[in-house]
Amino acid sequence: MTHPPYLSPGYKSTVLRAPAQELVMPKLGPDSVELASPVFGHQELGRLDEDLTVQHPGEPLGERIVVTGRVLDGQGRPVRGTLVEVWQANAAGRYAHLGDIHPAPLDPNFTGAGRCLTDDDGRYRFVTIKPGAYPWRNHHNAWRPAHIHFSVFGTAFTQRLITQMYFPGDPLFAYDPIFQSIPDERAREKLICRFDMDTTEPEWALGYQWDIVLGDTPMEA
Amino acid sequence: MTTASHDGAPGPTPSQTVGPFFGYALPYETGPRVVPGWRPDAIDVRGRVLDGAGEPVPDALLEIWQADESGRIPRRPGGIVRDGHDFSGFGRCGTDADGAFWFTTVKPGAVGDGAPCIAVLVFARGLLKPVFTRLYFPEDETAHAADPLLGAVPAERRATLIAAREGERRYRFDIRLQGDRETVFLGF
Ligand SMILES: [Fe+2]
């Protein structure tokens, strides 16, 4: 089982939000609209959307990183021209969101939102700052491992995926009910990017590789 | 279907919750306005997302995707930067403090044997993967009787997939994630 179940009581917000009834699976499967995907174009994206470190007058604080990888389908083929959106906390673990009350500093030079379209190899690439871990109120002393939120479209609306990318060796993995909501350990590891010296840029930024594989649908068990 | 990723493990990338802090990143001003309100065939869809206690879900993200008024599947960009006449078929709206969302769009034409409907995805804090549903229109009762999906839904739950008429070209579609009158969610 790849995807987490809806109900995962360790993650408290699932208790009142997880559907309790069985999902309905029509005999004929998705219709032709659901098997198609919205199309997005380069003209809809901003020039600075791929580099989260240049969206303000000054440079953001923190460790500059390059995060890149390919969006692939279940057969390993590249998914071209698909919209990839990311958002994340700053280096101190604070989101530029009004609802984030973590008493860590905001960075006036970092918003933490980006987007791009994959190229002909299905590749995306972002320059950003390594996000900090942050506390949340799920349970006593609850901390989220550092992560970047990813949103990907794919070639069918049924493939639509929103997930989180984590960094290698994070000591918080064992304590995080969101990461641990994925029952299978090997499936969990798919969310951890890989440090890559070839992606690392001398005198500039560490590089990480992370591929995203789109199955038929995340709604499956 | 399985595949090998870089570590040799089979299968797709797992889903994780959208969390509570997407609001400054994913919604955009024109997201809910799939077509401009001045189009004579524009319709308004409004609704709320409610949890298992009947409380509003103020941090949900809805996405809709649909055919155009004649049942054609859109193949052109324009879901983010709307130019006012091209139809991209995609809409996105975050819920407000009351769990409320809205879209201005057109009623899709029928596609294949199905009754006219709009695909709806809901993401939220507390949803480790999205819920997928469909919005059907109340005036299409005859087509509903022959719709392959509605036919697979227990009769007593079917109404959760059909929007309520609220006026001329206005519909209400509430989404109940859990509990009493829980919306029918699809397993694909
Ligand atoms: Fe987060």
Side-chain angles (χ1 to χ4, degrees):
Chain A
M1 184 155 86
T2 292
H3 298 287
Y6 285 114
L7 180 62
S8 187
Y11 174 23
K12 285 192 182 142
S13 304
T14 67
V15 173
L16 281 174
R17 294 184 172 187
Q21 303 280 338
E22 245 181 84
L23 303 185
V24 169
M25 183 66 202
K27 270 201 300 289
L28 299 177
D31 70 17
S32 54
V33 178
E34 292 157 339
L35 290 174
S37 171
V39 175
F40 298 95
H42 284 283
Q43 69 280 10
E44 301 186 88
L45 275 52
R47 198 170 50 85
L48 305 179
D49 287 0
E50 295 189 35
D51 189 338
L52 288 71
T53 68
V54 297
Q55 297 170 350
H56 296 274
E59 288 221 63
L61 294 171
E63 185 184 337
R64 191 185 299 114
I65 58 173
V66 174
V67 179
T68 182
R70 298 170 75 204
V71 179
L72 304 166
D73 70 12
Q75 278 79 46
R77 295 175 299 212
V79 180
R80 302 186 171 101
T82 199
L83 180 65
V84 179
E85 295 164 282
V86 293
W87 69 104
Q88 62 167 92
N90 68 20
R94 176 87 183 260
Y95 283 89
H97 186 284
L98 289 174
D100 186 354
I101 54 170
H102 176 34
L106 282 166
D107 184 339
N109 290 312
F110 191 71
T111 303
R115 55 191 177 191
C116 73
L117 296 176
T118 55
D119 68 12
D120 280 351
D121 289 325
R123 183 164 291 280
Y124 70 85
R125 182 179 185 276
F126 293 101
V127 179
T128 185
I129 293 293
K130 191 170 184 193
Y134 61 85
W136 58 315
R137 297 183 179 218
N138 186 70
H139 55 274
H140 173 67
N141 214 6
W143 292 80
R144 295 298 327 284
H147 59 274
I148 299 177
H149 295 267
F150 270 74
S151 159
V152 189
F153 276 79
T155 54
F157 203 50
T158 51
Q159 287 186 314
R160 185 83 178 82
L161 178 72
I162 288 184
T163 188
Q164 303 180 23
M165 185 204 83
Y166 301 91
F167 292 86
D170 197 311
L172 293 168
F173 287 150
Y175 306 98
D176 181 39
I178 293 180
F179 182 71
Q180 295 293 338
S181 68
I182 301 159
D184 180 62
E185 186 186 347
R186 289 205 308 166
R188 287 198 290 274
E189 284 168 1
K190 289 177 199 305
L191 296 182
I192 305 171
C193 65
R194 168 172 65 85
F195 170 72
D196 183 37
M197 195 54 97
D198 291 334
T199 306
T200 297
E201 297 187 10
E203 328 305 333
W204 186 248
L206 293 187
Y208 292 92
Q209 288 276 344
W210 185 57
D211 289 347
I212 299 165
V213 180
L214 300 176
D216 292 337
T217 172
M219 275 62 78
E220 69 201 346
Chain B
M1 174 185 339
T2 58
T3 184
S5 67
H6 67 260
D7 62 353
T13 305
S15 175
Q16 293 270 269
T17 179
V18 73
F21 297 136
F22 59 83
Y24 72 95
L26 294 183
Y28 48 94
E29 202 190 331
T30 56
R33 197 168 289 111
V34 182
V35 304
W38 49 256
R39 260 181 73 153
D41 56 350
I43 62 169
D44 270 333
V45 176
R46 282 169 196 277
R48 294 170 79 204
V49 181
L50 302 166
D51 71 12
E55 294 296 320
V57 176
D59 45 13
L61 182 78
L62 279 89
E63 290 183 348
I64 61 169
W65 165 237
Q66 62 168 94
D68 70 11
E69 65 277 13
S70 52
R72 277 185 306 254
I73 300 170
R75 295 279 185 221
R76 50 178 167 246
I80 299 173
V81 177
R82 316 245 188 225
D83 68 6
H85 43 89
D86 280 346
F87 180 78
S88 78
F90 176 73
R92 179 185 277 175
C93 184
T95 54
D96 66 16
D98 295 322
F101 63 87
W102 64 276
F103 291 98
T104 300
T105 185
V106 289
K107 181 175 173 181
V111 176
D113 296 334
C117 66
I118 295 176
V120 181
L121 271 174
V122 184
F123 301 89
R125 172 175 65 83
L127 281 180
L128 286 160
K129 50 190 177 182
V131 288
F132 202 118
T133 189
R134 286 185 188 173
L135 180 160
Y136 288 87
F137 294 86
E139 61 272 16
D140 298 328
E141 250 176 73
T142 318
H144 292 172
D147 184 85
L149 171 70
L150 288 176
V153 173
E156 68 277 10
R157 300 191 64 207
R158 218 167 282 160
T160 68
L161 296 177
I162 301 168
R165 195 173 184 85
E166 280 217 314
E168 191 61 28
R169 304 197 159 278
R170 292 179 47 176
Y171 299 90
R172 162 159 291 275
F173 187 67
D174 291 331
I175 293 172
R176 294 177 176 81
L177 295 178
Q178 186 192 88
D180 186 35
R181 287 179 292 157
E182 179 177 315
T183 300
V184 167
F185 299 115
L186 307 176
F188 52 72

